[in-house]
Amino acid sequence: MSKKPAPRANISALLQEKRVFKPAAEFSARAHVKTFAQYRKLWLESVRKPDAFWRKQAKAELVWQKPFAKVLQWKEPFAKWFVGGRLNASANCLDKWLETAHANKAAIIWEGEPATDGRAGEERVLTFRQLHREVCRFANVLKRHGIKRGDRIIIYLPMVPEAVVAMLACARIGAVHSVVFGGFSAQSVADRVQDSGARMIITSDGGYRRGAIVALKKNVDEALAITDANGDRPAKSCEKVIVVRRTGHEIHLAEGRDFWWHRELDYVDANCPAVPLDSEAPLFILYTSGSTGKPKGILHTTAGYLLGAKMTHKYVFDVRDEDVFWCTADVGWVTGHSYIVYGPLANGTTCVMYEGAPNWPEPDRFWRIIEKYRVSILYTAPTAIRAFMKWGDDWVKKHDLSSLRLLGSVGEPINPEAWMWYHNVVGGGRCPIVDTWWQTETGAIMITPLPGATPTKPGTATLPFFGILPEVVDDSGKPVPKNTGGKLVVRKPWPWMLRGIWGDPARYKETYWSEVKHSYFTGDGCRQDEDGYFWIVGRIDDVLNVAGHRIGTAEVESALVSHPSVAEAAVVGRPDELKGQALVCFVTLKTGQAATQDLKNELRNHVGKEIGPVAKPDDVRFADALPKTRSGKIMRRLLKQIASGMEIKGDTTTLEDLSVLAKLSNPDE
Ligand code: 7RM
């Protein structure tokens, strides 16, 4: 295998943001962590005496069927947390509440996408007791079909409560779920079936997306045809497909292989004790695509992951019993795993789950939902926030959002422009914003403000969560001075870190534990400011080198978006004889703005003024849309190829909308 050149650090830090927002006294007074000093004290304790800290937290937060003996066994790069303990994630999310006042509290408030009158969608509410019952019944269906501890199961469903039921049913009997986002193709499903050796797929006839039906079962049929044709579907793999009825359109059921979910429930009762599982029992595999090669099956295990999801949900979102929490991510993404399913349920929190698109039937669907259910905490992504900005403030202002008390952001750097809009227009200037940095691999939030304690600044995820020791280092692994760019690493193992890449320990070691000695390499470029706050400047692979200046993509993009005409921007490098790399910017405009040559010049000058002459773009191109992953991240790798006039190569299966690429490559067609 050819090794790609090591990404280099020493990134120039250019953009400066000076605004500071202190937590409001009323918010802090009621918060779990009330002062910055209290956060500091707890964090110092957590990194100085991790053993004692995690022992105490794991005992207090989780329900154990057998207590653990040892906190951490670390043989770099392999960690075992809470060694010897036994517990069950589904019991921690459900059974725990049965004998309490939470039993009949709503666990999931679900809203379907179809909304014919432009107002209300279909509604389903599941209390903790009802969810427990459904999970027990479906776990019995799995058992009846021969599913055993350690078996892998692909869940390929739309955003319906059955997705949560299926995940927790797997967890209940020790099967390992691998959720595949419902927008992925048959080929992606086939790849994941093969790589994981899954024994079963749980899917639905279809799902709704922007009014249209996504034919999930048809994709599964195609996926299994692909794996059959390849002949490398291991024996005993994917013998069964369970199908949830959602859209009701006609589908093909293969005799002896495919079964309706609702029919199967007729054969089982609701009695299914949670199996006591080892702390390190695999809980799920989640595939994430790297910039090269096949997708990696990121493995998470039971105790450490659950502790991370629960603690971060509790402290970062400062949840209380009366909150209505809404994480808008899909369950097919790690954010959905940790903040729709495991974190909130383990904390007994009511969650909103919405099936469809933010602009269906109109661009105010999110605000309608918040008003309707009195959502108090909203957790969404910068890509969505920028889309809302583009659609205009009126859609937001039409609705009563006074129930909101806290806002969260995840997925990309949130540029200060979007941060301020989120704060003022959505949050009415009254809600703190938690900008949370983490990854599929890290399992749960890593760098984040605590809303009652940490002063925030627009554009930074601020400081590490308890027990997390991040650092910004140069190519030799040495910490860089303040306000100097470098590689973001994590120095010590933490309970919710990935345990490996499924079936590929060598790739795990190579990808995450070889770049910087004795450290977890995140792949992100970062700088710390004078207060120690962490500013992500983009992926290391995307860092630009313009005339010897190493510039993070996030800074230039942020400068572009700070111009009133710009909705979104993506910045990439194109080879340039003189400067090494020339800066090419792809820009989408706000509704009603004209794409003129004058505006291009204005944008170039604007960036030059905001950041400095070195960052002045060589080329500004207007686009209708940018190529994004299904979770909303801009795919700069593809833009780089377009910018240099190359043929588009590499994995495009994670792309949300293929037509976007075609348009960008041939803008005049
Ligand atoms: C949760 C998730 C991980 C990558 C990560 C970063 C970027 C995520 C932030 C962020 C700046 C943030 N998992 N990223 N959150 N960058 N500020 N608050 O997104 O595996 O899909 O992506 O996303 O580059 O490495 S992920």
Side-chain angles (χ1 to χ4, degrees), residues 390-463:
K390 181 176 172 167
W391 295 330
D393 299 9
D394 290 349
W395 291 109
V396 191
K397 290 186 170 152
K398 269 185 12 194
H399 296 277
D400 173 10
L401 305 185
S402 60
S403 57
L404 287 173
R405 66 179 197 92
L406 177 63
L407 303 172
S409 170
V410 61
E412 285 179 293
I414 174 166
N415 45 292
E417 205 64 24
W419 197 103
M420 289 308 300
W421 185 87
Y422 198 26
H423 181 74
N424 289 325
V425 181
V426 179
R430 110 198 137 258
C431 307
I433 295 180
V434 285
D435 173 2
T436 62
W437 177 89
W438 59 295
Q439 308 175 298
T440 306
E441 293 86 341
T442 70
I445 292 166
M446 301 284 283
I447 302 180
T448 177
L450 298 185
T454 316
T456 55
K457 307 177 193 179
T460 165
T462 74
L463 296 166

